[in-house]
Amino acid sequence: MPAVEPTDRKGPAMAETTATRTAYRTCPLCEATCGLALTITGDRVTHARGDHDHVFSHGFVCPKGAAFPQLLADPDRLRRPLLRVDGTLREVGWEQAFAAVAAGLAAARSGGRDAVAVYLGNPNVHTMAGGLHVGPLVRALGTRNVYSASTVDQMPKHVSSGYLYGDPNAIPVPDLDRTDLLVLLGANPFESNGSLCTAPDFPGRLRALQARGGRFLVVDPRRTRTAAAADEHLPIRPGTDALLLFAVVHTLFDEDLVRLGRLAEHVTGVDAVRDLAGAFAAERVADRCAVPAPRIRQLARELAAAPAAAVYGRIGTCTVAFGTLTSWLVDVVNVLTGNLDRPGGAMFPLAAHQRPRAAGPGRGFRTGRWTSRVRRLPEVKGELPVATLADEIETPGEGQVRALITIAGNPVLSTANSRRLDRALASLDFMVSVDPYLNETTRHADVVLPPPDAARTGHYDFAFLTLAVRNVASYSPPALPPEADSLDECDILARLTLIAAGRGADADPAELHEHLLGQTLADAAETSGRPAAQLRALVTGDRPAERLLDARLRLGAYGDQFGARPDGLSLARLLDHPHGVDLGPLRPRLPEVLRTASGTVELCPSPIAADVARLRAARDAPPDGFVLVGRRHLRSNNSWMHNVPALVKGRDRCTLQVHPEDATRLGLDAGDAARVSSRVGSVVVPVELTADTMPGVVSMPHGWGHDLPGTRQSVARAHAGVNSNVLTDEAAVDPLSGNVVLNGIPVRVEPA
């Protein structure tokens, strides 16, 4: 993929005469973790290409990575704090900004700790600061009003994994490089680069699967780029993936195709799953999901017969009414065909910063330790569904949210019924945002604290390496020095944490950094018998995040254990290997990963079994009229890269895709304006005709709508598009996970 040269708003950047150098780093712009080779001229990144020596990505780069220099040079990016003075956001110094934060939070917390809410956006998992310092901040605040993008796109997978394995973060990924058959449901990695499955050059890995004689199938209501490249595309009615998968499970039992193999000693609840599947024969569900019964049965036989196979479901299976049931059934099929935890199947990665655990029973997993105040929605993984955030802000009474901290998020565009949330944010008493942009959400803030750009911070993927299809490790030190008057994001979050802990606006962030490091080393001292002070003296790293990373690497699964294993990993070793360290293919990890009360894979947890009655009712329900689904584009990642010229150029991507037969019936033609309406809102959007979308299904992309006043994103505003979340309904959630339903939304479509 050709790299993109940075440009300003007037044209190509002038060539520099300063000497150039090359820096290597991991791309932080999606989940694929590709290696980049950056050309640095003076104090600017002037070029980006794929790192051909990177142990995981081998030179692959997508348009987002190639546009990295433009992202860094964005003149709209905030570089100093903003403080609202007399209704206007103005640049101020850091001390004045933090003093305002301390005063604003103190006033809000006079109404109780839950009066302050936190929203954590998707980009947090792309930074070391997010991985290391968000948790301490949330704990210091002590609020139960914690919300994140997880209940927009992935919480069902956490919940199903929690019930199955006792750990909501134990998510198996398809062993792409060794499988013979891959079935993808609601996933489009040719556009998204993969999600909850870290795989640089996902498309190349799928082509390699085909080249070695394997096959991959795509189940999706749209003929996506991934579906077009697949050996077979199975169109399905949106939101019915659980019916399809249950019919596969029924066939496996009905035709005596269940083969647990070595899993037999680690799995309980198989007979209970057999009983539940009795109501979902292929012939009972075929009409509802629009996949012929013979093809469903044949799919079950193919999965059972393949030497190694994996089923993988993603956004399209999580963001529907039965998201948790679907996520659970993905793993049930992998278990029943003997493909969980074996090479070529679905396997559990082991990242370098993770410590291996001894096998044995654990505490298990549960939700609902508390509920939201207004709608009584259950807590999951320490947070509440973002679908109810507006309720908590707007509804008076004890515990009403009066202040909000957002960190790297734009929920005004990315969450359901976003117009309502937009109005709710405007009513807050106080709001602080950690964000580099004044976007549709942060325009409501009283204080905006901008972190430095990604070239000036170190990078290690705490989240994505736990989901990688091969065990690897890499660390990227800062490629450029700090800008004048900037503050490291770790320091920003540390100071917020100290304010929340009552230490005041002037507390030194080094106190928290050392405290966190001390906690890590105290655990190691207890198990190793070596004093924590002795271990602290061995920790290396010039920055707080580096020191925390060094400790975790050295104590991790491949670590040097502070010298006890000289060939093990440490920060120093990763610095010596700028292209990463290959730690080998995925290995079987059962029963080590299990933390259920029984110490087994609990295949039929009671909360999931209870929800099957809801699916049985949906099986016999008449289909809706038009339903709306989202779609991804390779040049876009939610809303946060739409201010980069290279990533928004070309034809308008924010269109309503309509099947030609439906368009004829509605009296619509290509380029016409259509009005799309749901229970909660209405938008007008240009029509794009395509047979790649099933009849009865219309599609709009996610993350657009950059035409709200008060933002400072000139490129995004010039390509504003239409916000699809004006149409999504905050009342529609998956009850087991609280995940909002963003796909399969009933809508009306008519000429505007």
Side-chain angles (χ1 to χ4, degrees), residues 58 179 256 281 324 452 458 466 477 487 501 521 565 595 605 658 681 724 729 735:
H58 307 291
T179 194
D256 195 24
T324 301
T466 67
L487 196 63
L521 297 177
R565 195 164 67 190
R595 285 296 175 268
V658 183
S724 65
D729 188 344

Side-chain angles (χ1 to χ4, degrees), residues 612-637:
V612 172
R614 189 169 62 96
L615 184 64
R616 283 198 298 269
R619 176 200 63 192
D620 299 324
D624 296 310
F626 280 109
V627 293
L628 175 71
V629 299
R631 67 179 187 269
R632 296 297 295 265
H633 191 280
L634 188 58
R635 293 178 181 268
S636 178
N637 187 353

Side-chain angles (χ1 to χ4, degrees), residues 186-210:
N188 184 14
F190 273 62
E191 303 277 12
S192 71
N193 288 329
S195 178
L196 292 185
C197 176
T198 300
D201 194 11
F202 206 128
R205 293 172 191 269
L206 292 179
R207 295 186 187 101
L209 161 62
Q210 293 171 317

Side-chain angles (χ1 to χ4, degrees), residues 410-498:
N410 193 2
V412 164
L413 291 190
S414 62
T415 61
N417 196 354
S418 56
R419 282 182 180 162
R420 181 188 176 197
L421 182 61
D422 188 35
R423 293 191 299 269
L425 296 189
S427 73
L428 288 167
D429 295 335
F430 184 71
M431 179 172 162
V432 56
S433 296
V434 180
D435 202 286
Y437 285 109
L438 201 60
N439 61 29
E440 292 74 20
T441 295
T442 62
R443 70 194 177 113
H444 292 293
D446 297 282
V447 182
V448 183
L449 305 171
D453 68 53
R456 301 176 194 275
T457 61
H459 188 87
Y460 176 87
D461 284 294
F462 286 104
F464 301 136
L465 292 178
T466 67
L467 298 163
V469 300
R470 187 175 181 89
N471 293 317
V472 299
S474 61
Y475 172 68
S476 310
L480 294 172
E483 290 181 299
D485 201 27
S486 67
L487 196 63
D488 187 90
E489 188 173 7
C490 289
D491 288 336
I492 294 173
L493 296 180
R495 292 190 67 171
L496 290 177
T497 301
L498 292 167

